[in-house]
Amino acid sequence: GPTGPEEHVLPDGSLVTWTWDPDPRSGEGSVTGPDGMRAFGLSGPPIVPALTDGSAAGTLVVMTADGRRILGRALGTGRNRWSRPYDGALPVHAAAQVSGVMLLDDGAAMTAIDVRTGSLLWSTPFASDLTRGAALIDGERVLLPVHADGAAVELVARRIVDGAPLWRTSLPAGTVALGVVDQQLVASTGDVLVGLG
């Protein structure tokens, strides 16, 4: 696991903390309610989305310390609402949570789970090296660079709630990075920035 403590403030004002032990397969954490009182302990690190619309705010998603399961914990009581196996790469982080769907990014695939039930909704591999670890999301769609035939890279827009592909387009030859500059999607070839869309 990473070194140093993690702290996250949730939309309801709860504070989630996690600290890895020197043995990276264990650690300790807790959830403190908005009133400052400790609500419950954690058996693994929280997976808190970088971007959220506040949907399914009553459920905290937690990875077990051994990385084999993902749990949905009720924020009010700490009870497990659901538990599901996890067989993706580690570490994993939550790119976003929209309409109750959490997008999990393990650096090789984007996986969507329903935060309310833990159900797997969809999963797809992508070329994460081009987005520099930050998913490109507009609230309804996630844009994922994918390797097409040979060395070509294409950009695919998928609907967040069900993973349905909405469109696909080729990226400029030699694209090494994608990003957003002044609300414009751009591709960098290393020498040139190209505005897309």
Side-chain angles (χ1 to χ4, degrees):
T3 58
E6 293 180 45
E7 287 190 353
H8 305 278
V9 177
L10 302 179
D12 75 343
S14 296
L15 177 65
V16 180
T17 61
W18 177 261
T19 303
W20 287 100
D21 290 338
D23 172 1
R25 294 172 301 216
S26 64
E28 63 180 53
S30 65
V31 175
T32 303
D35 59 2
M37 300 295 289
R38 184 175 192 272
F40 57 91
L42 296 176
S43 58
I47 303 176
V48 179
L51 177 70
T52 182
D53 64 0
S55 60
T59 301
L60 175 65
V61 178
V62 177
M63 173 72 72
T64 58
D66 63 9
R68 294 184 181 161
R69 296 196 77 73
I70 298 176
L71 313 171
R73 307 274 309 265
L75 267 180
T77 64
R79 286 190 173 140
N80 280 347
R81 290 187 167 166
W82 51 263
S83 174
R84 68 167 294 105
Y86 179 75
D87 60 2
L90 294 173
V92 63
H93 74 273
Q97 184 171 311
V98 177
S99 299
V101 176
M102 183 177 284
L103 296 177
L104 300 175
D105 176 354
D106 70 7
M110 186 70 66
T111 301
I113 62 169
D114 185 324
V115 175
R116 295 165 289 238
T117 66
S119 299
L120 174 65
L121 300 173
W122 57 271
S123 184
T124 188
F126 73 105
S128 63
D129 53 319
L130 295 182
T131 59
R132 310 255 167 139
L136 302 170
I137 297 167
D138 71 359
E140 294 178 13
R141 293 168 291 271
V142 58
L143 305 180
L144 298 171
V146 297
H147 292 290
D149 298 331
V153 179
E154 296 179 333
L155 189 63
V156 177
R158 291 189 176 272
R159 196 167 35 223
I160 291 173
V161 295
D162 60 10
L166 301 171
W167 51 261
R168 176 183 293 256
T169 189
S170 296
L171 289 173
T175 296
V176 295
L178 291 170
V180 177
V181 176
D182 291 332
Q183 299 181 355
Q184 173 72 44
L185 181 62
V186 295
S188 171
T189 65
D191 298 324
V192 176
L193 286 178
V194 180
L196 303 173

